[in-house]
Amino acid sequence: MNKPLVGAFLAALLLGAGAAPVVAAEPAQQVQTQETASKAGPAAKAVTFAGTVALSNCSGSVVRSPDSAPTDPALVLSNGHCLESGFPGPGEVVVDQPSSRTFTLLNASGDGVGTLKASKIAYGTMTDTDLSLYETTSTYQQIEDSYGIQALELETAHPTAGTAITVASGYWKRTYSCDIDGFVHQLKEGRWTWKDSVRYTPECQTIGGTSGSPVIDDATGKVVAVNNTGNESGQECTDNNPCEVDENGEVTVREGINYAQQTYNMVPCIGAGSKIDLNREGCALPKP
């Protein structure tokens, strides 16, 4: 996975306390990241950091469905493996659990402009997909009125190969631009299996801390996926080294290639008032 990170002052306390494969970033990796970021080319003009958030260990974004009302509580999208409670096990689904987690809201330039607070984990899982949705104590209208920032809209249709995308990391305040290379029947990593995952072209070299970043269609500005993992060292189907499994069971390893989980399929699960209803028509997210 694109590993969640911990703050430097907490690293000594938290290393080894979380479930594998969570690790803190090494200082050398952070320096290298900053150097690499300075050499990266400009992101697509249509994509900014507005609406993205930084978590304590991951990235995320404020998102809405096309039917969301301004008075609905705002939702924050990230990964299931970024939950403060640790990695959900295979088959585990977290629904309506209290949370007081906070998120730093970023503006278009990547500056932190405010803090959003969760009221609960509305949904979280690492089964079939790798996502979490937090319900916040602020409405979409309150966020727009206070900070001039609108939520990112979730695309309702399956993305297509060849689409130009940008992965916008609120944690690193960095973007990665590439194309959707294709889709993976099953992506296996350690104990977890994800279905119909997005595979990036090699230009998107996402790293630890980019977990949970929105994957944005450059043409529409809509969220089509949530960034979650990559094969780091060429191992097969191990933690931090996902492998691809096709319909015939053939396994392919692509060292250095990164992946995301589609988000169109969760839109039907978002009902009035931002409530996650797994029994709504068209909702195919795993149930508890």
Side-chain angles (χ1 to χ4, degrees):
M1 279 152 245
N2 292 135
K3 302 182 264 321
L5 306 178
V6 295
F9 71 101
L10 289 177
L13 294 176
L14 297 183
L15 267 175
V22 182
V23 299
E26 296 295 333
Q29 181 188 22
Q30 294 184 28
V31 172
Q32 182 180 11
T33 299
Q34 293 165 358
E35 292 175 348
T36 303
S38 66
K39 299 176 183 177
K45 292 182 179 179
V47 176
T48 72
F49 292 103
T52 65
V53 300
L55 286 67
S56 58
N57 60 346
C58 285
S59 301
S61 57
V62 181
V63 296
R64 65 177 181 86
S65 76
D67 297 328
S68 294
T71 54
D72 289 343
L75 296 175
V76 168
L77 169 68
S78 190
N79 284 147
H81 77 260
C82 293
L83 290 173
E84 66 267 40
S85 53
F87 289 16
E92 182 180 358
V93 176
V94 179
V95 177
D96 289 339
Q97 294 299 308
S99 175
S100 58
R101 195 166 196 182
T102 58
F103 315 94
T104 301
L105 179 66
L106 306 185
N107 63 13
S109 301
D111 299 320
V113 295
T115 300
L116 305 180
K117 185 176 181 180
S119 59
K120 65 180 179 180
I121 302 168
Y123 185 86
T125 193
M126 290 178 66
T127 298
D128 294 348
T129 185
D130 182 10
L131 67 85
S132 60
L133 280 170
Y134 287 86
E135 183 178 307
T136 72
T137 59
S138 302
T139 67
Y140 293 113
Q141 190 64 60
Q142 287 172 334
I143 293 173
E144 186 171 356
D145 289 345
S146 296
Y147 309 111
I149 294 174
Q150 296 181 339
L152 299 174
E153 184 175 334
L154 295 165
E155 175 60 70
T156 60
H158 191 293
T160 57
T163 299
I165 55 172
T166 297
V167 182
S169 171
Y171 185 95
W172 287 115
K173 300 181 181 180
R174 177 182 172 185
T175 59
Y176 303 78
S177 295
C178 60
D179 294 343
I180 294 177
D181 185 49
F183 304 95
V184 182
H185 176 64
Q186 288 187 337
L187 191 66
K188 291 183 177 290
E189 179 174 343
R191 298 187 294 150
W192 294 275
T193 300
W194 304 306
K195 298 179 179 179
D196 199 20
S197 302
V198 173
R199 180 177 62 240
Y200 305 144
T201 53
E203 294 80 13
C204 280
Q205 289 294 305
T206 51
I207 59 172
T210 64
S211 288
S213 299
V215 180
I216 301 170
D217 184 324
D218 290 351
T220 66
K222 296 181 181 181
V223 177
V224 297
V226 57
N227 179 69
N228 81 307
T229 195
N231 187 292
E232 295 183 359
S233 59
Q235 296 179 30
E236 182 177 305
C237 312
T238 63
D239 291 342
N240 303 319
N241 291 281
C243 63
E244 301 181 12
V245 183
D246 68 14
E247 293 85 345
N248 299 316
E250 294 294 324
V251 176
T252 301
V253 173
R254 302 179 191 269
E255 183 176 358
I257 295 299
N258 295 282
Y259 303 89
Q261 302 306 309
Q262 298 185 53
T263 50
Y264 80 95
N265 51 3
M266 73 183 188
V267 174
C269 310
I270 303 174
S274 296
K275 301 303 179 185
I276 306 303
D277 183 355
L278 301 179
N279 294 313
R280 291 189 83 220
E281 183 178 358
C283 178
L285 290 179
K287 299 179 181 180

